[in-house]
Amino acid sequence: MEPLTGYRELPAHTMLERARASYQNLLRRRTVRDFDAARPVDRAVIEQCLLAAGTAPSGANQQPWHFVVITDPQRKSQIREAAEEEERTFYNGRAPEEWLRALAPLGTDANKPFLEEAPLLIAIFAQKYGIDAQGERFSHYYVPESVGIATGFLIAALHEAGLVTLTHTPSPMGFLSKLCGRPESEKPVILLVVGHPKPGCEVPVHGGIKKPLAQISSWL
């Protein structure tokens, strides 16, 4: 244990101002499917966002995550091909009708051009267990929760940096382990598409409607 040195206490009015500003900033965040292929993203920006994600809390501070940043066009093409194969199976029979009805307003289908158009993809892996210096396995705890929190940090950091994202989750996505060269101890959970929006980009109208506070929270 060590002394807490990073905490800064703020006046009540400043706390409220910052809370409101944070909400308004995140309210502008939208999931984007049309990326500007002509606009690259500075690697240094992504690295800082990844560092921000790495500050997330995790079970026993084991940080059971790994982020693979993919910029190589050939690798992105391979990922698109593999993802679309899974998506075709999904849309053509594996998906329940209820899920397809929920997706219908978004106009999505098995075609995923954004996987090649976006300047980079971030494959997020959950480490099911760790390997110590002697090559022995040791358990990780609260892995889904920890990786989910880190992913939220990452999305917020990318938004704060002026980038847009899409969380893509083809199922199953085991192909990512092979294409990214990741070990058996890791499981791919999310493919985060990152870049700048294409000029004239549109997003679903209903996507901006958020549930009111009374529906997402309660006080006891």
Side-chain angles (χ1 to χ4, degrees), residues 10-218:
L10 300 171
H13 71 278
T14 303
M15 294 173 65
L16 184 56
E17 287 174 0
R18 290 196 176 194
R20 284 173 173 162
S22 179
Y23 166 59
Q24 291 299 323
N25 182 44
L26 289 174
L27 191 60
R28 294 187 301 102
R29 192 208 65 79
R30 299 297 298 273
T31 294
V32 167
R33 291 176 172 80
D34 295 314
F35 291 82
D36 190 343
R39 295 190 65 186
V41 175
D42 187 348
R43 174 171 175 162
V45 172
I46 299 302
E47 289 178 341
Q48 290 301 308
C49 292
L50 292 171
L51 287 170
T55 69
S58 61
N61 194 32
Q62 292 177 327
Q63 305 165 52
W65 45 66
H66 188 86
F67 305 96
V68 178
V69 182
I70 302 119
T71 60
D72 176 63
Q74 182 178 359
R75 195 71 59 94
K76 289 194 294 180
S77 179
Q78 293 172 332
I79 289 174
R80 177 183 178 181
E81 181 180 354
E84 288 184 340
E85 182 177 350
E86 297 295 351
E87 293 289 280
R88 284 191 291 271
T89 303
F90 172 82
Y91 280 97
N92 295 330
R94 194 170 66 222
E97 284 299 319
E98 183 179 13
W99 182 218
L100 292 176
R101 286 195 299 271
L103 289 173
L106 301 177
T108 60
D109 56 27
N111 189 37
K112 307 298 179 185
F114 50 74
L115 293 175
E116 290 188 275
E117 292 172 350
L120 63 97
L121 311 174
I122 303 177
I124 301 172
F125 290 82
Q127 296 177 341
K128 297 177 286 186
Y129 54 86
I131 305 293
D132 64 20
Q134 288 71 44
E136 298 293 327
R137 292 189 185 188
F138 62 89
S139 297
H140 279 166
Y141 303 98
Y142 298 102
V143 173
E145 295 86 349
S146 300
V147 176
I149 296 170
T151 299
F153 275 35
L154 177 57
I155 292 171
L158 291 166
H159 171 70
E160 180 71 20
L163 297 169
V164 295
T165 59
L166 166 70
T167 49
H168 183 49
T169 53
S171 180
M173 61 175 74
F175 63 87
L176 280 175
S177 297
K178 180 178 180 181
L179 290 175
C180 295
R182 301 312 301 165
E184 171 65 26
S185 59
E186 296 180 1
K187 175 184 177 181
V189 291
I190 291 174
L191 187 57
L192 195 63
V193 189
V194 182
H196 296 279
K198 185 181 293 185
C201 171
E202 294 185 346
V203 294
V205 173
H206 82 275
I209 300 174
K210 303 302 180 183
K211 293 180 179 179
L213 184 63
Q215 289 187 20
I216 67 169
S217 66
S218 56

